[in-house]
Amino acid sequence: AQKVTQAQTEISVVEKEDVTLDCVYETRDTTYYLFWYKQPPSGELVFLIRRNSFDEQNEISGRYSWNFQKSTSSFNFTITASQVVDSAVYFCALSEDKGAQKLVFGQGTRLTINP
Amino acid sequence: DVKVTQSSRYLVKRTGEKVFLECVQDMDHENMFWYRQDPGLGLRLIYFSYDVKMKEKGDIPEGYSVSREKKERFSLILESASTNQTSMYLCASSLYRALPNQPQHFGDGTRLSIL
């Protein structure tokens, strides 16, 4: 069975600090997809990034970066120079390579950036 | 931009009532999903549909049913509401069943309270 674990329930940092959100996954599939979503206080989940299991390149988008390591089954998310607007709940999710691509979500990490 | 619209942001119902949660997407997506979100548990899939009149059970279908009579609309039904169904309900859609690696697009959520 597929499983996603976000061990950090809550993180609180001061603005401009760097912060890393951890995500560890389990799957028997050889082809799968990983996602990160952001849920601001308004409630709507916002898609941030997807990564294919066969593409282990790390990705950077502005202050956001993602580190995918198949050897440790991890897909960690780092925010550099955090800002108050980054405060949200962040979810990591895993999708199989068949059917309607159901997502299995982690428990979420509530990130608070303090001014 | 894809727009997923849920009919209510907040809803209060009584135990034993039949409750309907409505979701509409405007981008001709094939796949639609219903999740519930509870603290510490992340999002859990209730039901999904990859075509009109088609439905498949997710991880926690007990106490729920769904209806998809038109491609753009996916309804979640609580046949006889109970207090343990108090939760945030999120609807999502994605493009094609046969195309993997697609992000899901989410609505704003319905916070349902069963008294």
Side-chain angles (χ1 to χ4, degrees), chain A residues 9 32-35 37 39 41-47 49-52 54 89 91 95-108 110, chain B residues 3 9 31 33 35 37-38 40-45 48-50 57-59 88 90 94 96-109:
Chain A
T9 304
Y32 52 88
Y33 308 91
L34 294 162
F35 299 80
Y37 284 84
Q39 186 179 40
S42 59
E44 177 184 357
L45 268 77
V46 177
F47 164 70
I49 191 172
R50 65 177 164 232
R51 176 61 72 219
N52 305 330
F54 44 87
V89 180
F91 289 97
S95 172
E96 57 193 3
D97 182 30
K98 48 185 176 290
Q101 298 98 46
K102 298 183 294 179
L103 286 175
V104 174
F105 283 84
Q107 302 91 322
R110 180 176 299 279
Chain B
K3 184 67 177 175
R9 287 301 304 269
N31 306 320
F33 308 82
Y35 297 89
Q37 180 181 359
D38 300 290
L41 297 177
L43 278 74
R44 293 178 292 166
L45 182 64
F48 65 100
S49 167
Y50 51 84
K57 293 180 180 179
D59 300 317
M88 168 74 94
L90 290 157
S94 65
Y96 295 127
R97 180 187 185 193
L99 186 65
N101 198 24
Q102 309 159 67
Q104 292 182 14
H105 301 268
F106 285 81
D108 289 341

Side-chain angles (χ1 to χ4, degrees), chain A residues 1-92:
Chain A
Q2 297 184 324
K3 184 178 179 182
V4 176
T5 301
Q6 295 178 255
Q8 304 152 307
T9 304
E10 295 192 28
I11 299 174
S12 181
V13 301
V14 177
E15 200 172 17
K16 297 185 183 176
E17 285 187 30
D18 298 347
V19 58
T20 295
L21 309 181
D22 297 332
C23 173
V24 174
Y25 62 92
E26 297 174 28
T27 181
R28 294 181 185 172
D29 294 337
T30 54
T31 302
Y32 52 88
Y33 308 91
L34 294 162
F35 299 80
W36 275 96
Y37 284 84
K38 173 182 180 180
Q39 186 179 40
S42 59
E44 177 184 357
L45 268 77
V46 177
F47 164 70
L48 295 178
I49 191 172
R50 65 177 164 232
R51 176 61 72 219
N52 305 330
S53 56
F54 44 87
D55 179 6
E56 286 197 70
Q57 274 191 325
N58 292 326
E59 181 152 342
I60 298 175
S61 175
R63 296 184 296 105
Y64 295 173
S65 62
W66 290 269
N67 183 357
F68 176 34
Q69 292 195 340
K70 286 180 78 170
S71 60
T72 55
S73 297
S74 65
F75 185 43
N76 296 336
F77 173 30
T78 296
I79 301 174
T80 304
S82 60
Q83 299 176 3
V84 172
V85 294
D86 296 326
S87 296
V89 180
Y90 290 86
F91 289 97
C92 180

Side-chain angles (χ1 to χ4, degrees), chain A residues 105, chain B residues 33-39 41-47 60 62 64 76 78 82-91 110 112:
Chain A
F105 283 84
Chain B
F33 308 82
W34 274 107
Y35 297 89
R36 65 177 281 176
Q37 180 181 359
D38 300 290
L41 297 177
L43 278 74
R44 293 178 292 166
L45 182 64
I46 304 171
Y47 267 97
I60 51 165
E62 296 78 19
Y64 303 94
L76 179 69
L78 286 66
S82 64
T83 54
N84 62 11
Q85 292 178 309
T86 291
S87 187
M88 168 74 94
Y89 289 87
L90 290 157
C91 176
T110 296
L112 175 64

